[in-house]
Amino acid sequence: MRVVSYSVPVWFPPRTGEDVRPRARLTEQESAVFRSLATGASNQELAVELQLSVSTVKFHVHNIRAKLGGISRLQACLLAALARESAGSQEPGRPGADPLRRVPAARRG
């Protein structure tokens, strides 16, 4: 299973009493759902786009939100949009810093 890490940017509003920003380790399928959240699509629309059941999408969205520190769906959508934008800005010849630094983690055997 491939795992992808996402960091919540330091400027993102922290949860009450939170000092350290969480680093989310999303599975490959969670990562696909996360990136698709950037469109603001409903669970039904995401399910059609990703060829998954609605309950599977709900499961992944719930896990994503929890792994990102219990953020709201809207906050997850905003972070996904930033991740998409910053991934595009990392192409050769395009300037920009990556606020959600996407780092592939080691594979588990």
Side-chain angles (χ1 to χ4, degrees):
M1 171 175 58
R2 187 172 154 242
V3 178
V4 180
S5 293
Y6 289 93
S7 297
V8 177
V10 272
W11 52 262
F12 203 75
R15 290 177 52 193
T16 305
E18 182 182 70
D19 292 335
V20 179
R21 299 288 172 184
R23 175 170 288 266
R25 293 179 54 113
L26 304 180
T27 65
E28 197 167 342
Q29 199 162 33
E30 286 171 343
S31 184
V33 171
F34 176 70
R35 288 188 307 270
S36 295
L37 278 173
T39 64
S42 68
N43 289 338
Q44 176 66 43
E45 293 166 332
L46 292 174
V48 170
E49 177 186 338
L50 298 171
Q51 298 180 344
L52 300 170
S53 71
V54 175
S55 61
T56 299
V57 170
K58 286 181 183 179
F59 176 78
H60 288 312
V61 169
H62 175 78
N63 287 342
I64 291 163
R65 290 177 54 218
K67 288 180 179 184
L68 288 171
I71 63 175
S72 71
R73 183 185 178 105
L74 176 58
Q75 289 172 317
C77 291
L78 293 172
L79 288 175
L82 287 170
R84 267 187 164 189
E85 182 181 300
S86 64
S89 69
Q90 295 304 306
E91 294 173 11
R94 289 192 66 186
D98 186 356
L100 286 178
R101 204 172 107 219
R102 184 169 178 245
V103 182
R107 287 184 175 216
R108 292 184 179 179

